[in-house]
């Protein structure tokens, strides 16, 4: 799946996981978010939705990096976050329940994805003077 380009990248401040691996994870998270929230569905203005989803992906990637000490642990947590994103196709309570039933995507992961999306919405609203999102 192709996702729109954005001028955003992961910050290179840690050497525990190679930057290329982190960049790939950021793009994988963005793809997962775009599958669940396609810009044509989540916003009347696709560029803003693309920015919101990229900011959420960046937040999630950063959280995973902070929680992991090894590249293998990092990779496993990225997979868990992507599963949590996909579980959001249903309502929030159902997503949490389903995530708990599936190996690797726990309730905490779903909560972190929702928090990152809300953070993206807050950034979007701040940048665009109170514009509301269908994702929030």
């Amino acid at each position: 799946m192709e996702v729109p380009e954005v001028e955003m990248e992961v910050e290179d401040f840690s050497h525990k996981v190679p930057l290329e691996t982190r960049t790939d994870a950021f793009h994988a998270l963005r793809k997962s978010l775009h599958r669940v929230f396609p810009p044509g569905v989540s916003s009347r203005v696709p560029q803003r939705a693309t920015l919101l989803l990229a900011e959420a992906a960046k937040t999630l990637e950063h959280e995973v990096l902070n929680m992991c000490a090894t590249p293998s642990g990092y990779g496993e947590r990225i997979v868990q976050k992507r599963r949590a994103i996909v579980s959001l196709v249903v309502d929030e309570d159902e997503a949490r329940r389903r995530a708990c039933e599936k190996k690797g995507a726990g309730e905490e992961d779903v909560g972190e994805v929702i928090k990152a999306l809300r953070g993206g919405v807050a950034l979007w609203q701040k940048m665009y003077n109170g514009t509301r999102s269908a994702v929030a």
Side-chain angles (χ1 to χ4, degrees):
M1 172 182 195
E2 293 293 320
V3 295
E5 292 292 320
V6 293
E7 291 186 28
M8 185 180 296
E9 54 191 46
V10 295
E11 298 168 8
D12 187 17
F13 62 87
S14 173
H15 298 289
K16 49 183 179 176
V17 178
L19 182 60
E20 182 177 348
T21 301
R22 292 184 57 219
T23 300
D24 290 346
F26 168 70
H27 290 297
L29 289 164
R30 283 189 63 219
K31 284 181 182 181
S32 294
L33 287 165
H34 274 271
R35 281 189 185 101
V36 174
F37 303 105
V41 173
S42 62
S43 173
R44 292 184 301 253
V45 184
Q47 299 86 355
R48 291 181 184 173
T50 297
L51 177 62
L52 181 153
L53 297 176
E55 183 63 30
K58 184 176 178 180
T59 298
L60 291 169
E61 189 282 329
H62 182 78
E63 289 174 358
V64 169
L65 181 68
N66 285 338
M67 296 295 293
C68 296
T70 65
S72 62
Y74 175 87
E76 290 171 17
R77 290 288 292 158
I78 289 295
V79 169
Q80 292 170 351
K81 293 296 181 206
R82 293 183 72 198
R83 287 182 181 147
I85 291 167
V86 171
S87 74
L88 291 173
V89 173
V90 294
D91 68 43
E92 185 175 336
D93 291 333
E94 180 68 10
R96 288 176 189 271
R97 187 190 62 74
R98 284 187 185 183
C100 290
E101 292 174 357
K102 291 185 178 185
K103 179 183 175 186
E107 185 174 343
E108 183 179 321
D109 293 315
V110 174
E112 289 172 2
V113 169
I114 292 167
K115 181 180 174 184
L117 286 167
R118 287 180 179 148
V121 170
L123 172 70
W124 179 6
Q125 288 175 333
K126 183 177 179 181
M127 290 178 64
Y128 296 99
N129 298 317
T131 302
R132 298 195 64 99
S133 165
V135 177

